Amino acid sequence: MKIAEKTVAHFHYTLKNEAGEEIESSNGHEPLTYLHGANNTLPGLEKALAGKERGDKFSVTLQPEDAYGPYQEGLEQRVPVKHLQGLVSKNAKWKKGMTAAVQTEQGQRQVTVLKVGKFMVTVDINPPLAGKVLTFDIDVVDVRAATEEEVAHGHVHSADSSCGHDH
């Protein structure tokens, strides 16, 4: 089965920056899973995955506009320190350059810490990889037809979704 509208794709990836340095990888973990055609992954990645099938391995280099978008100047905000999530331990402190998660009205968002005060933190709300040229090495693990429920909801349901999937 080929990856197309209303299919669920499972794939492993290794993400590299312009210098070819590895940023992150799913190898050794569960593969990434998404519903094709529901805007659940990067636009350029979804386009590159279209038509691929189980066993396909390939690389795709995405320009910023096909990945996390261009970097936009002036997207700085001050937020209370207590709203930042993602420290490795209770004793850890936020430092410039660290990535944090913040809950917004649009859901969780990754931000980059620019300046830390006692109660407030200045963050850059651009996605951490905005403005970057990225290369994905992809290994398609599986492709299946999406269920009617997944298509209606616009996302993949896990195998144990009968255990109380909630919207």
Side-chain angles (χ1 to χ4, degrees):
M1 174 177 278
K2 292 187 183 297
I3 298 173
E5 294 279 324
K6 300 181 183 176
T7 62
V8 173
H10 306 262
F11 64 93
H12 279 291
Y13 71 95
T14 298
L15 173 59
K16 298 176 184 169
N17 63 19
E18 233 173 329
E21 301 161 333
E22 185 176 309
I23 298 171
E24 66 183 41
S25 176
S26 67
N27 293 316
H29 304 284
E30 290 294 313
L32 192 66
T33 301
Y34 81 102
L35 174 62
H36 193 81
N39 298 320
N40 291 332
T41 191
L42 300 174
L45 192 54
E46 187 168 64
K47 186 176 179 182
L49 281 158
K52 302 291 192 267
E53 54 192 352
R54 174 195 275 230
D56 284 351
K57 294 180 181 188
F58 65 98
S59 291
V60 60
T61 298
L62 302 180
Q63 297 302 311
E65 52 275 7
D66 293 324
Y68 291 94
Y71 183 86
Q72 298 176 42
E73 294 295 332
L75 290 185
E76 296 177 7
Q77 287 188 349
R78 289 179 46 83
V79 297
V81 173
K82 66 183 180 183
H83 290 304
L84 298 185
Q85 302 168 353
L87 279 177
V88 292
S89 72
K90 285 190 180 261
N91 298 332
K93 302 276 187 222
W94 291 108
K95 294 185 175 87
K96 181 179 179 175
M98 292 175 86
T99 301
V102 177
Q103 276 303 124
T104 71
E105 291 174 1
Q106 293 81 34
Q108 194 174 65
R109 177 177 209 136
Q110 276 194 318
V111 298
T112 303
V113 175
L114 299 175
K115 184 178 174 186
V116 181
K118 188 169 184 172
F119 301 107
M120 300 293 284
V121 177
T122 303
V123 297
D124 181 345
I125 63 171
N126 277 292
L129 296 174
K132 309 268 192 234
V133 175
L134 303 171
T135 297
F136 288 85
D137 295 332
I138 303 292
D139 178 4
V140 180
V141 177
D142 198 15
V143 182
R144 66 169 174 81
T147 66
E148 288 181 26
E149 186 179 34
E150 288 171 328
V151 172
H153 291 175
H155 61 260
V156 176
H157 292 170
S158 65
D160 61 355
S161 61
S162 60
C163 305
H165 181 74
D166 196 12
H167 285 279

